[in-house]
Amino acid sequence: MSAPSPEEGAGEPRPSILEALAARYGRAPVEIPPEADGVVRAMPVILRIERDPLPGRTALLEAAAQAALAVCVEPEPEWEEPLRRWVDGRIRKIARRARGAHWAAVQELPGVTVEVDGAQARALLPGPVDDVPKTVSRLQIGGTELPPDDPGPAGSPIIVLNPAVDMTLGKAAAQVGHASMILAAVRGWTTAPRFHVRRDPALWAEPAGTGVEVRDAGFTEVDPGTVTCRAW
């Protein structure tokens, strides 16, 4: 799937699922209130990490970013209501890892799998965090890290992780998923392109222009308000 240029999609209707994000991030980010119905929801993002061979860290993050957005811009009709409830609140994501039979099992759940350079991630339909299917709840959230790699020059669109902030693989996967959704929302994109993910101080120092940034709510790993990544 080819990535749209910044100009593409300008005259297209904005994806309805992302309208709340477009309104929220079309200006300076505002404080997001707790969910009106009191139900905390999250999108499970499953990272495929087999023992051998291990996937590339950057490719896995790129797959996660694209998969999270694909669920929102290419939804099945029955997904729209749970997606709206999730997007209207805080767009939490929880990354888990799977391999072998466990990876095969999550393919049966509603969601989208994306492969980038041999690395695979599957974003699932969001739902209440206290009512996660057993197929998902048995998967570990942390534990496996992947060595940094040097993927070479980035293309467009790009997500740059804050080089001053240390994040686990799972945390980074959630953050790039947020970034892909927010950028698509404010740009009005109706497809889920490949995002190039980098953690490069030089890129971080560049002006993002009409890009977006992700400020973390501070539930895990980083302080509230931390800018974890930018996308443009």
Side-chain angles (χ1 to χ4, degrees), residues 16-21 24 32-43 71-72 75 77-92 125-131 181:
S16 60
I17 295 301
L18 299 182
E19 284 179 353
L21 283 184
R24 190 180 304 163
I32 309 302
E35 288 73 12
D37 59 5
V39 178
V40 178
R41 299 176 175 85
M43 169 186 280
V71 170
C72 299
E78 63 270 22
W79 296 2
E80 292 203 10
E81 184 56 33
L83 279 169
R84 287 181 186 278
R85 290 188 177 188
W86 173 63
V87 170
D88 285 345
R90 294 168 172 169
I91 54 169
R92 291 181 175 92
L125 187 66
V129 297
D130 59 358
D131 188 25
M181 288 177 55

Side-chain angles (χ1 to χ4, degrees), residues 61 159-163 167 172 176 197-200 204 228-229:
L61 291 177
I159 299 170
V160 182
L161 293 163
N162 188 339
M167 292 180 282
V176 298
V197 176
R198 298 293 183 269
R199 189 174 184 266
D200 183 328
W204 184 257
T228 56
C229 56

Side-chain angles (χ1 to χ4, degrees), residues 34-211:
E35 288 73 12
D37 59 5
V39 178
V40 178
R41 299 176 175 85
M43 169 186 280
V45 179
I46 314 302
L47 309 175
R48 185 179 188 181
I49 305 179
E50 302 287 348
R51 288 193 177 95
D52 185 28
L54 286 172
R57 194 179 199 277
T58 297
L60 195 57
L61 291 177
E62 292 177 353
Q66 186 174 345
L69 176 57
V71 170
C72 299
V73 298
E74 303 167 14
E76 299 292 336
E78 63 270 22
W79 296 2
E80 292 203 10
E81 184 56 33
L83 279 169
R84 287 181 186 278
R85 290 188 177 188
W86 173 63
V87 170
D88 285 345
R90 294 168 172 169
I91 54 169
R92 291 181 175 92
K93 295 182 181 70
I94 299 177
R96 299 174 184 264
R97 57 190 174 92
R99 62 172 178 259
H102 288 173
W103 171 255
V106 298
Q107 305 307 304
E108 303 300 320
L109 299 175
V112 177
T113 296
V114 169
E115 179 173 338
V116 174
D117 296 340
Q120 292 180 298
R122 183 171 181 81
L124 301 178
L125 187 66
V129 297
D130 59 358
D131 188 25
V132 179
K134 186 176 181 180
T135 304
V136 175
S137 64
R138 67 187 178 186
L139 302 176
Q140 293 189 8
I141 295 177
T144 296
E145 279 299 315
L146 297 172
D149 47 19
D150 182 9
S156 177
I158 184 172
I159 299 170
V160 182
L161 293 163
N162 188 339
V165 177
D166 290 326
M167 292 180 282
T168 63
L169 174 65
K171 180 69 172 181
Q175 299 307 296
V176 298
H178 296 341
S180 67
M181 288 177 55
I182 296 168
L183 185 63
V186 300
R187 299 299 296 166
W189 292 347
T190 55
T191 59
R194 173 175 175 172
F195 288 81
H196 296 262
V197 176
R198 298 293 183 269
R199 189 174 184 266
D200 183 328
L203 287 173
W204 184 257
E206 289 185 5
T210 58

